[in-house]
Amino acid sequence: MRYTIFRTQILLRLLFLNLIGFGIFYVLTQTHFWLVSLWLTLLFVALFTELIRYIERTHREMENLVIAVQQGEFSNTYYQQPAMKGHMLSEVFNQLVSTFKKLRQEKEVNHLYLQNVVAQIPIAIICLDAEGNIQLINQAAKQLFKKPAIRQLQDFQEIDSELYHTIESLEAGEKTMLKLIVRQQLLQLSVQATAFKMNDQYYKLLSMQDFRSELEEQEVDSWQKLIRVLTHEIMNSVIPISNLTSMVNQMLIQTQDDGRVQLNTLDSEELNDLHGSLITIEERTLGLINFVKAYKSLTQIAQPQFRAVEVRELFSRLHALMKPRLQEKNIEWHEHIRADSLQIKADFELVEQILINLVNNAIDASQHRPQPKISLQAFIDDKNQTVLQLKDNGNGIEEEILEHIFVPFFTTKSEGSGIGLSLSRQIMRLHKGNISVQSVKGEGSTFSLIF
């Protein structure tokens, strides 16, 4: 409708110009009233000039609107001129300005909302552009580094050179731990980087958290658990050794009233008791030695020799190793690899050691169940992590025990050492991975190796 009116205004002006032009031609050629032709000519020039101005005014206001949009300046108001009545172009311009104002206000409100949200997050958030300029930093980051003004990546050089190099070299998706001292205060930081691209600009988003207090609490808790287990194991051997040694001493040695010491004469029965006591002392001493060796094995794990490991080859070799025991216990074995040619970057022997331990545990847990079954599968999860998962249909693990199974020397088996799962967790950490467990009492357990 608006464009039709505008077009009509232009056509009417052109029609008047054509009529006046025809009148000028008629007066000059058919009559002697040359003065009338002069007035008609002046009217033609005036109408033609008005037409040009009418069109230029529209273009000029359109140009001003475009410039205002480019500069983000929307304070102008377009008034409808008498000559422009009918096509309502000024009204359109005002509506556009009003829309742009509303969009800018919404953008500013959203930006303010985002700033407030980021400011309230207790984790330090820092956003860098490709040139190393800081585009966003929240209050938690300023408080963490005790520096109110951080504008560039280079400013971290003044805080700590290692922190600067870590931030500079950390790639998207990587996570690292960092220990540093800021103004005589020890910080143990977890630093994680992500990246995104917006308006053809590359940005790196860093999140940093000081986990020192949480780590200290977990460390104290772990030490308490370990000390309880160590105390239990040592006392189980030391108390019998002490009692038996005291009994042997009483059997062999007799102290006289005058303080002299002499050996007792033993009959055959007492000699047998003495021999049995010495054997028990020897066995408990060997048990303590083996316990110390097991503890040493936890602290001296060989560094992994990483290479590309075919998961199918790993599973095949594991099944060959465990097949005799599986057949002996009449346990079903299932394998499933969801992706063809699935690989992990790992130490073949160390990962195989973990899986052997898990399969042995699964056999012990499920061997007395009806139709015992163990399944092993490999897949890539929604976080693009490779997962090796072993599941059994055994008795499951009780909830109060579940949180202790990775504690060194904790075991529910009468002949277990309690280092298998703890060793497995340490090996997975050396692979920058993790081991997790899910268990339901009476239904079975699932252990996942996450690479």
Side-chain angles (χ1 to χ4, degrees):
M1 177 66 181
R2 294 169 180 170
Y3 299 110
T4 303
I5 295 174
F6 178 75
R7 190 183 300 113
T8 303
Q9 293 280 344
I10 297 296
L11 291 174
L12 286 174
R13 284 171 170 77
L14 290 175
L15 179 61
F16 286 141
L17 286 172
N18 285 327
L19 289 174
I20 293 171
F22 178 78
I24 294 171
F25 177 78
Y26 178 80
V27 169
L28 288 175
T29 57
Q30 300 298 327
T31 68
H32 299 286
F33 304 109
W34 59 270
L35 188 59
V36 174
S37 65
L38 177 61
W39 286 110
L40 288 174
T41 302
L42 291 175
L43 180 60
F44 180 88
V45 171
L47 284 175
F48 184 78
T49 302
E50 194 276 338
L51 175 63
I52 297 298
R53 287 181 176 178
Y54 181 81
I55 297 173
E56 284 182 345
R57 188 184 300 114
T58 303
H59 288 177
R60 186 166 57 251
E61 294 205 350
M62 180 66 75
E63 183 180 354
N64 290 338
L65 179 64
V66 172
I67 293 173
V69 171
Q70 289 175 342
Q71 296 178 349
E73 176 59 49
F74 305 116
S75 59
N76 294 339
T77 301
Y78 298 89
Y79 296 99
Q80 187 167 307
Q81 303 293 332
M84 297 178 65
K85 280 187 177 179
H87 74 292
M88 297 185 292
L89 194 58
S90 297
E91 181 184 346
V92 174
F93 287 171
N94 287 326
Q95 288 179 357
L96 285 173
V97 169
S98 176
T99 301
F100 280 120
K101 280 182 180 179
K102 185 178 179 181
L103 289 174
R104 187 172 69 175
Q105 288 173 354
E106 290 178 356
K107 180 181 176 182
E108 290 174 352
V109 168
N110 290 334
H111 182 67
L112 185 61
Y113 172 77
L114 177 62
Q115 283 184 323
N116 288 329
V117 170
V118 172
Q120 298 301 319
I121 295 176
I123 299 173
I125 303 292
I126 299 170
C127 183
L128 298 164
D129 62 18
E131 286 75 35
N133 299 314
I134 292 180
Q135 300 296 324
L136 182 146
I137 180 168
N138 67 347
Q139 192 63 31
K142 296 176 182 178
Q143 292 174 352
L144 182 65
F145 300 116
K146 307 292 190 297
K147 194 174 177 67
I150 304 177
R151 297 182 178 85
Q152 293 183 330
L153 175 61
Q154 196 67 32
D155 293 340
F156 286 99
Q157 188 78 265
E158 302 174 8
I159 299 172
D160 186 90
S161 59
E162 187 179 357
L163 175 64
Y164 166 77
H165 292 300
T166 299
I167 294 174
E168 185 181 40
S169 60
L170 203 63
E171 298 293 335
E174 290 185 346
K175 184 178 181 180
T176 187
M177 305 297 178
L178 186 65
K179 184 183 292 185
L180 66 148
I181 297 176
V182 176
R183 295 192 179 180
Q184 301 179 345
Q185 182 179 359
L186 176 65
L187 299 179
Q188 290 179 302
L189 295 181
S190 169
V191 185
Q192 187 168 5
T194 55
F196 62 94
K197 198 172 184 182
M198 187 170 63
N199 294 333
D200 293 328
Q201 290 288 328
Y202 171 85
Y203 296 94
K204 182 193 286 188
L205 187 65
L206 298 160
S207 61
M208 304 182 190
Q209 186 174 15
D210 181 18
F211 59 94
R212 179 174 49 85
S213 59
E214 290 83 358
L215 187 64
E216 288 174 352
E217 291 178 6
Q218 292 181 3
E219 186 177 4
V220 169
D221 185 55
S222 297
W223 275 114
Q224 288 175 344
K225 291 178 181 177
L226 180 57
I227 289 170
R228 283 197 296 269
V229 174
L230 289 173
T231 303
H232 176 74
E233 290 294 328
I234 293 172
M235 293 302 289
N236 280 348
S237 294
V238 170
I239 290 175
I241 290 173
S242 176
N243 292 336
L244 288 170
T245 304
S246 177
M247 187 182 71
V248 169
N249 183 62
Q250 291 174 6
M251 291 173 64
L252 290 175
I253 298 172
Q254 182 178 10
T255 305
Q256 302 295 324
D257 294 337
D258 56 2
R260 289 181 301 151
V261 177
Q262 68 176 23
L263 293 176
N264 290 327
T265 302
L266 304 178
D267 57 26
S268 60
E269 184 178 350
E270 289 174 329
L271 284 172
N272 288 333
D273 291 341
L274 177 62
H275 182 253
S277 298
L278 291 174
I279 290 175
T280 303
I281 291 172
E282 182 183 15
E283 289 176 349
R284 296 313 303 167
T285 304
L286 288 173
L288 271 176
I289 292 171
N290 291 331
F291 177 77
V292 172
K293 286 181 178 178
Y295 181 81
K296 187 178 179 180
S297 70
L298 282 174
T299 60
Q300 295 182 346
I301 303 174
Q303 286 298 315
Q305 302 298 315
F306 292 101
R307 66 178 178 91
V309 174
E310 291 283 349
V311 174
R312 193 172 298 280
E313 177 190 355
L314 180 65
F315 283 8
S316 176
R317 183 163 140 176
L318 177 67
H319 185 223
L321 287 170
M322 304 307 300
K323 189 174 181 180
R325 191 167 183 225
L326 290 166
Q327 290 178 342
E328 178 189 350
K329 303 296 182 181
N330 197 28
I331 296 175
E332 291 183 37
W333 174 268
H334 299 277
E335 288 180 21
H336 179 56
I337 300 175
R338 297 187 192 175
D340 294 333
S341 302
L342 190 61
Q343 290 185 340
I344 55 173
K345 189 176 182 182
D347 185 305
F348 190 103
E349 284 72 24
L350 289 179
V351 175
E352 185 182 53
Q353 181 181 345
I354 297 175
L355 291 172
I356 289 172
N357 180 61
L358 293 178
V359 172
N360 280 324
N361 290 345
I363 291 173
D364 293 338
S366 59
Q367 60 181 332
H368 300 300
R369 301 279 289 181
Q371 298 181 336
K373 180 174 63 176
I374 295 174
S375 61
L376 188 62
Q377 62 174 332
F379 57 91
I380 297 175
D381 65 8
D382 53 4
K383 296 181 180 178
N384 204 33
Q385 300 174 129
T386 303
V387 180
L388 309 185
Q389 197 170 78
L390 187 139
K391 184 177 182 179
D392 64 65
N393 63 344
N395 297 320
I397 305 170
E398 296 178 3
E399 288 186 16
E400 57 269 21
I401 295 176
L402 198 60
E403 62 174 310
H404 301 293
I405 63 173
F406 293 106
V407 176
F409 309 111
F410 179 86
T411 181
T412 56
K413 300 178 183 177
S414 58
E415 298 179 356
S417 65
I419 66 168
L421 290 176
S422 178
L423 195 63
S424 299
R425 172 167 280 183
Q426 289 196 52
I427 292 172
M428 287 306 299
R429 284 177 176 168
L430 289 174
H431 283 75
K432 306 297 183 186
N434 193 18
I435 179 171
S436 64
V437 59
Q438 292 178 316
S439 185
V440 179
K441 184 64 178 175
E443 295 184 12
S445 303
T446 301
F447 284 84
S448 301
L449 306 184
I450 305 164
F451 293 87

